[in-house]
Amino acid sequence: MILKQISTRFSIAVHTLSLIAVSSSEDCTGDYIAGSVNTNPVIIRRIMGLLKKAGLVEVRPGVGGASLLKTPEDITLLDIYRAVHVIEDNQLFRFHEDPNEGCPVGRNIESVLQSELSEAQSAMEHRLSQTTLSQLTEKFK
C-alpha cells in the first residue's frame, strides 16, 4: 500500500513567502527563491502563481522580483495552506474506494471515522490560523 504525503507545496510556499519577507523585492526573483528552496524555478513559478491568485504576492514581470501584498503580520499559515490548494475538496483525509459492504468494518468505516478526521482537520486548521508569517520570520534572525 502506498501512502500519499501532504503536498510539499505548503512548505515551499511558506519558504518562499518567508524569503520574500526577509529580503528586498529586487532580490526575490524566481531563480533566487528556487536556489534557496533548492528546487527547479518552474516549481517556484507555479507556487508563485497560486500565491498571486490568492492575493498574497505581487510579481513584477520582466525584471522579476516579488513582494508581499499584505504585511507578514497579516498572513497566517492557514492563508498559505489554502492558497496552494494542499487538499482536494476541502478534505485533508480521503477514504479508500469500494470497501466490502458485506463486512461490518467495510460497511461502516467511513461513517465511523469521518467525524474523528473532520475534528483533526479542524484542529490543524485552527492551529495554522494562529501562526503568522512574521512569527516565523522572527526565528530566522
Side-chain angles (χ1 to χ4, degrees):
M1 181 169 111
I2 297 173
L3 294 175
K4 285 188 173 183
Q5 286 186 316
I6 294 175
S7 169
T8 59
R9 286 184 301 224
F10 176 65
S11 62
I12 293 172
V14 172
H15 186 143
T16 298
L17 291 174
S18 296
L19 191 59
I20 294 168
V22 301
S23 305
S24 72
S25 64
E26 298 83 40
D27 291 339
C28 284
T29 64
D31 288 341
Y32 178 77
I33 295 167
S36 178
V37 175
N38 200 23
T39 193
N40 190 303
V42 171
I43 292 170
I44 298 303
R45 282 194 291 276
R46 284 187 196 131
I47 288 175
M48 291 292 281
L50 294 170
L51 296 171
K52 182 179 178 181
K53 186 176 179 183
L56 298 177
V57 296
E58 175 180 55
V59 180
R60 287 194 315 273
V63 294
S67 55
L68 299 178
L69 288 174
K70 296 180 176 183
T71 67
E73 294 80 15
D74 291 329
I75 299 173
T76 67
L77 291 182
L78 183 60
D79 295 330
I80 302 166
Y81 172 83
R82 288 182 173 155
V84 296
H85 310 290
V86 172
I87 58 176
E88 295 176 22
D89 302 324
N90 200 30
Q91 287 194 312
L92 181 60
F93 300 100
R94 303 205 42 209
F95 287 93
H96 52 288
E97 295 179 14
D98 300 323
N100 183 347
E101 291 293 319
C103 169
V105 174
R107 184 173 48 252
N108 294 295
I109 189 68
E110 187 171 347
S111 62
V112 169
L113 197 52
Q114 184 62 52
S115 67
E116 292 295 324
L117 297 180
S118 292
E119 285 183 39
Q121 180 177 340
S122 293
M124 182 198 70
E125 290 177 356
H126 177 71
R127 179 66 184 94
L128 292 176
S129 73
Q130 294 177 334
T131 303
T132 66
L133 188 61
S134 66
Q135 290 170 314
L136 292 183
T137 58
E138 283 296 315
K139 297 177 182 180
F140 299 138
K141 295 178 180 171

